[in-house]
Amino acid sequence: MARQLRFNGTGSGGTGCPSVHEDVESGEVIVHGPPLTDPSDIAALQHLSQGEVAVVVPRDLLVDWAPKETTRQARIIALNEFEGLFRTFSHSAWRLETRRRFASDETTDTYRQFVETGTVDWDVEDPYCELIRSQTAQGKRVERVRIVDQSPTTGQLYLLNNARRNSGLGEDIRNLWRVDADRLHIPSEDFWLFDSRLAAKLRFDDDDNLVDVELITEPAEIVRYSVIRDAAWHHAVPYEEFAAKLGDAE
């Protein structure tokens, strides 16, 4: 069975080599880089077995990108505690949405309204709206990138319609085609990144219900999420432009 490899980072902005990957299941670390080729150097290595290859990597690569806590226990919080993060962040809350559907959306009257009419009469005075409006009014940034399939699902189209409401609250919402996200090696993780120091990874069951949230503060992981954010944000387009192009293509 193929490993489930996650790209942690690279010490080179140009060639992408040397780099560190992590096996998500086993926790093993895979490092690749330029091979050690000088025969005298190879002869000096101890316990180099047949078939093994020695590679040369900068020390900083392992300091910056190798996992720091192999026994780190996941810190799981309930959804009500997760909601509190939106009240306490200091300057930025950034979201990556990669899922094709959210089961919770499909139970709402607004979803039914969208399926039946293609549009929604959004309530802009509910508690979430009041919270986000109060935060953005203080100059805090609330931003998100939504990944969309080349043939958008009903749930993705519903959220594209929802972006009109959330944009009015002060959110900056952008979209990115999934094929482009795959090309950029953006993982299929749903998470919020608060103040570039705390990540909240959303965990779903097999029926696409949000179950709980994992809080992550490990520095290497926060850097990884920040790299994902910067790549997605750079290539995503404002939802208005995305929706207009989508309409032209239909």
Side-chain angles (χ1 to χ4, degrees), residues 62-184:
L62 302 182
V63 172
D64 292 340
W65 299 108
K68 302 301 187 298
E69 302 176 24
T70 58
T71 59
R72 176 179 65 85
Q73 297 296 311
R75 180 188 170 194
I76 307 302
I77 62 172
L79 300 184
N80 59 342
E81 187 176 349
F82 169 59
E83 181 182 346
L85 297 177
F86 293 89
R87 303 182 185 279
T88 57
F89 76 94
S90 298
H91 54 78
S92 64
W94 190 90
R95 170 78 187 277
L96 178 67
E97 290 183 22
T98 65
R99 303 185 67 82
R100 292 176 169 85
R101 67 183 288 261
F102 294 91
S104 59
D105 286 345
E106 297 175 8
T107 65
T108 64
D109 290 337
T110 52
Y111 190 88
R112 176 188 54 77
Q113 188 180 137
F114 178 77
V115 170
E116 293 177 354
T117 69
T119 188
V120 176
D121 181 19
W122 295 102
D123 178 7
V124 295
E125 302 299 335
D126 68 17
Y128 175 81
C129 291
E130 294 175 0
L131 173 59
I132 298 303
R133 190 184 294 115
S134 68
Q135 295 290 54
T136 58
Q138 299 175 53
K140 300 179 184 181
R141 302 196 319 274
V142 180
E143 303 164 335
R144 70 176 86 204
V145 169
R146 285 174 169 148
I147 307 301
V148 179
D149 289 279
Q150 209 66 30
S151 294
T153 66
T154 301
Q156 291 167 349
L157 293 173
Y158 169 78
L159 291 175
L160 190 60
N161 187 282
N162 168 266
R164 293 187 297 108
R165 180 194 72 164
N166 285 21
S167 180
L169 307 176
E171 286 195 36
D172 189 344
I173 302 176
R174 304 185 184 186
N175 290 85
L176 184 67
W177 290 114
R178 191 175 300 278
V179 65
D180 293 323
D182 291 343
R183 175 177 54 82
L184 296 166

Side-chain angles (χ1 to χ4, degrees), residues 173-176 232-242 245:
I173 302 176
R174 304 185 184 186
N175 290 85
L176 184 67
W233 193 248
H234 177 74
H235 291 276
V237 300
Y239 86 91
E240 302 97 333
E241 177 183 341
F242 189 89
K245 290 182 178 179

